[in-house]
Amino acid sequence: MNAAGLACRALTFERSTGGRLLDGIEAAFPCGRACLITGATGAGKSTLLHLLAGLLGPTSGEVWADGQPVSRWSAPHRERWRQMVGIVFQHLHLLNDVTLLENVLLPCVPRPERWPAVLGEARQLLERLGLGALEEVTPARLSGGERQRAALARALIGQPRFLLLDEPSAFQDDGRIEGVLGLLEEATGQGGCVVVCSHDPRLAAADLFQSRYRLAHGRLERCP
Amino acid sequence: MTRFCFWNRPLIAWAARDLGRQPFSALLLFVCLALLVTLVTLVLLLGQSLRLASVQWAAQAPDLVVRRVTPGGWAPLPVAEALERVQTVAGVLRPRPRVWGVVQGPGGPWTVVGVDAAAAADWPADVPLPRAGEALLGTAGRWLATAQPLFLEGRRALGFKVVGYLPRSAAAALHDGVVLNRQDALLLLGLAGDQATDLALEVFHDEEAEALRPDLASVLPWPVTITTSREQLRRQLDDIDRRTGWLLASFVPALAAMALVVAALGAAGRRQRWEVGVLKALGWGGGDLLRLHLYRGLLIAGPAVAVGSAAAYLLLFAPGTTWVGRWIFGLPGAPLPLHLSGQSAAGGLLLGMLLVALPFSAALFWSGWQAVIQDPAESIAEAER
């Protein structure tokens, strides 16, 4: 259990209304690699990402991060763990009444020691994602693709060790996909652990992902 | 390990930005807070300054005042007989008859005081005693032009020439005063030449005043009320405290309502819960959220308390303020000369701040704590549903 990265051990999650969504998941998502999880809508991909991000607690089993069993940690410890996670939600969850730049900077606001560097980093990320001219625009005025890229920039800011992305390419055209994949490749190159949940065939065809899993009927199966 | 510091500049900037996202509710809260601080501080400062004025007044007042009473109210005192009898009481000093009463004048009631050469000992050296047909006005009369005659109506209506004003250092009791020649005052009040309104006495020591009351009452052949300056002061201070207390108590529902609004604005709302959930998912800790909450509150409460305190002070002590005299004491004319010592002012301002800031802080902390203990996944899921 000392491997760097994320791991699921006998991870089970039951809905509050009953019914097992995830059933004894066994998987390892090592650092320096990008992993893709595919599955039908409602298979539990988002729930698995929320469990990996420490937002949800499993019914049984455990999530391990860098050899530490993080799922049962107390709230203050889990908060510290979440500071190492960058996440893109399926529904993006951008603040619609603040600018794009402010949205991207949001994860770094409570950490003044990182502040001077992240302002430049945020602008650079927005530039690379084709949003440089829109940094003062609020998300409400942007297209779905632009909003999604802004959410990706927010996840990448501060170079988190663990990057968890839920359908990050759903609204992207083919031209933008390359840019997104390029950023994820950089993240893995810097030793980050990237886990992407998607049923986008364009991602499934990408060379970036060294590990691929399929989630079906509560079980996570490794694809060849 | 990073050292914890309450003050975090980016977080403070974000708190200010956050307030700008809901300017209406922030402004409303600011106005409510400032208004509450103004009202509470105003009551406290007014109470303090009235207490101080009462103490100063008591210091200038005679130790004992003897007044003749009948079943119909007060009655004029025969001066010669009263003086002769009270002088038989050992310990009584400087018994002197006083002529005063309330008459109608420009803008409302005025307190008329009659003086003659016998009062010269108590009279400021630089102010000449009024002669027949002349009048000196208290602070409240400074708005009256000296060129015009002053018409007063008591038992009789008489006109006087205003020859000057009492110095500003005169006791607050003479704020609405008109000082006349003794004979004019007697005529105006319908008193005979050998009558007075009451008798003022001094004693060697303050403590003696209380002990002399039964002796004085026994030597006078009429029913009298005898008031000591201490008793008068105690009565006034009790009255001020009671009124101040009632006024402050009447603000309790407003303070409670303010606390509830603060709590509701901070913790309720689906939008707030969703945002807290998102921030936690992005790595914000409970402590960060609590600090953000407190910063937002401080950014509103700090200026509101400053503005409210300043407004209360100016409402009471700004030059030209007449409402205290007009509304509370029904006194016409110029501002009532209210003063405060530095200590009293600081105490009043501090207590005013605390009375509003404590429930505000409690509500703020409570709503911040709700954010701290909130489950992020649940609030995000709630927004997605």
Side-chain angles (χ1 to χ4, degrees):
Chain A
M1 292 296 170
N2 288 327
L6 293 169
C8 304
R9 295 289 171 256
L11 195 68
T12 299
F13 184 80
E14 288 176 6
R15 291 189 181 98
S16 56
T17 49
R20 189 166 283 195
L21 190 60
L22 302 175
D23 187 10
I25 302 280
E26 293 281 346
F29 310 106
C31 281
R33 297 184 70 164
C35 306
L36 178 68
I37 299 171
T38 56
T41 304
K45 300 191 295 293
S46 298
T47 304
L48 178 58
L49 275 194
H50 286 186
L51 285 165
L52 290 172
L55 295 174
L56 282 175
T59 310
S60 64
E62 191 67 69
V63 172
W64 291 74
D66 286 347
Q68 299 287 324
V70 295
S71 299
R72 318 266 169 213
W73 276 358
S74 62
H77 283 87
R78 252 194 303 170
E79 282 169 1
R80 232 166 285 155
W81 145 244
R82 277 201 291 261
Q83 287 172 12
M84 294 193 288
V85 175
I87 187 166
V88 172
F89 293 100
Q90 188 177 5
H91 295 278
L92 305 179
H93 294 301
L94 294 168
L95 307 191
N96 277 330
D97 55 348
V98 302
T99 67
L100 224 50
L101 183 63
E102 287 168 329
N103 263 293
V104 173
L105 288 169
L106 214 49
C108 303
V109 170
R111 279 168 285 289
E113 67 277 10
R114 285 163 63 182
W115 191 250
V118 291
L119 192 61
E121 192 189 333
R123 291 209 161 99
Q124 206 178 358
L125 273 171
L126 286 173
E127 198 66 51
R128 288 190 63 183
L129 287 163
L131 301 168
L134 302 170
E135 65 173 51
E136 293 303 321
V137 176
T138 56
R141 295 173 56 195
L142 300 179
S143 69
E146 288 166 334
R147 289 162 53 81
Q148 196 166 43
R149 276 178 277 140
L152 181 62
R154 186 179 67 180
L156 287 165
I157 193 79
Q159 299 170 344
R161 182 163 172 76
F162 307 100
L163 203 52
L164 308 172
L165 315 176
D166 199 352
E167 303 289 358
S169 58
F171 306 122
Q172 304 303 321
D173 55 35
D174 292 348
R176 292 288 178 194
I177 286 273
E178 289 306 316
V180 172
L181 289 173
L183 282 167
L184 299 186
E185 195 168 1
E186 272 178 35
T188 51
Q190 289 161 2
C193 168
V194 178
V195 180
V196 178
C197 286
S198 174
H199 55 257
D200 185 347
R202 295 172 301 177
L203 288 189
D207 294 334
L208 171 72
F209 301 102
Q210 294 96 333
S211 308
R212 291 159 196 270
Y213 293 89
R214 178 165 177 77
L215 184 62
H217 311 296
R219 310 288 296 187
L220 193 65
E221 289 166 7
R222 192 158 190 155
C223 302
Chain B
M1 193 169 168
T2 313
R3 194 168 60 84
F4 176 81
C5 173
F6 180 78
W7 303 108
N8 175 335
R9 270 190 286 177
L11 206 52
I12 293 171
W14 181 255
R17 174 73 178 94
D18 217 16
L19 291 176
R21 293 168 66 200
Q22 294 139 352
F24 181 71
S25 57
L27 186 69
L28 196 69
L29 198 57
F30 172 83
V31 171
C32 288
L33 262 178
L35 207 64
L36 272 171
V37 172
T38 304
L39 290 173
V40 170
T41 310
L42 191 66
V43 170
L44 288 166
L45 289 181
L46 181 62
Q48 295 273 27
S49 54
L50 289 178
R51 283 180 72 89
L52 195 66
S54 299
V55 171
Q56 287 172 345
W57 188 359
Q60 294 173 5
D63 293 333
L64 280 162
V65 173
V66 179
R67 218 161 178 201
R68 183 181 171 191
V69 288
T70 65
W74 78 276
L77 204 67
V79 174
E81 188 180 358
L83 281 175
E84 187 188 333
R85 287 175 179 268
V86 299
Q87 276 166 341
T88 63
V89 178
V92 167
L93 299 176
R94 289 183 58 223
R96 55 200 186 278
R98 299 193 306 182
V99 175
W100 64 274
V102 177
V103 299
Q104 284 302 314
W110 291 74
T111 304
V112 162
V113 179
V115 292
D116 57 12
D122 299 327
W123 195 249
D126 53 340
V127 183
L129 285 166
R131 290 176 298 196
E134 292 180 347
L136 286 168
L137 299 179
T139 324
R142 287 185 178 263
W143 60 278
L144 288 172
T146 50
Q148 290 174 345
L150 171 71
F151 289 102
L152 299 173
E153 188 176 350
R155 287 294 173 89
R156 293 172 64 172
L158 295 172
F160 297 91
K161 179 180 180 349
V162 179
V163 293
Y165 304 98
L166 292 170
R168 287 192 185 274
S169 56
L174 285 175
H175 173 72
D176 64 333
V178 182
V179 181
L180 304 174
N181 181 277
R182 182 183 162 86
Q183 292 306 318
D184 288 343
L186 289 170
L187 270 177
L188 198 61
L189 298 169
L191 300 178
D194 62 343
Q195 288 182 325
T197 310
D198 59 25
L199 206 59
L201 313 171
E202 305 298 336
V203 292
F204 275 115
H205 303 107
D206 287 349
E207 296 75 19
E208 285 177 76
E210 192 66 39
L212 286 176
R213 281 165 73 159
D215 296 344
L216 285 167
S218 65
V219 298
L220 293 168
W222 328 280
V224 288
T225 57
I226 302 169
T227 315
T228 66
S229 59
R230 275 189 175 190
E231 183 189 20
Q232 183 68 19
L233 175 63
R234 198 168 50 240
R235 210 180 291 161
Q236 279 175 350
L237 295 184
D238 286 350
D239 188 45
I240 291 166
D241 288 346
R242 193 173 55 248
R243 283 167 192 255
T244 308
W246 276 114
L247 273 170
L248 287 178
S250 72
F251 293 140
V252 169
L255 289 169
M258 180 264 303
L260 284 174
V261 167
V262 171
L265 281 176
R270 187 186 162 105
R271 184 169 170 268
Q272 278 96 332
R273 285 203 301 278
W274 164 76
E275 200 165 306
V276 165
V278 170
L279 292 177
K280 280 192 167 179
L282 296 179
W284 286 49
D288 302 325
L289 286 161
L290 187 61
R291 274 191 295 174
L292 175 71
H293 215 72
L294 295 177
Y295 291 155
R296 276 194 306 225
L298 286 174
L299 284 171
I300 293 180
V305 165
V307 167
S309 302
Y313 194 86
L314 288 175
L315 275 170
L316 211 51
F317 299 111
T321 302
T322 57
W323 69 270
V324 178
R326 197 180 293 276
W327 294 358
I328 299 183
F329 299 104
L331 299 176
L336 195 65
L338 291 174
H339 308 284
L340 262 187
S341 65
Q343 201 179 354
S344 305
L349 289 170
L350 200 65
L351 193 57
M353 284 178 205
L354 280 178
L355 280 175
V356 180
L358 280 179
F360 177 78
S361 308
L364 198 64
F365 196 83
W366 180 83
S367 55
W369 186 248
Q370 297 307 303
V372 170
I373 60 173
Q374 191 179 307
D375 179 10
E378 198 176 292
S379 35
I380 290 172
E382 184 188 334
E384 287 177 356
R385 279 197 289 269

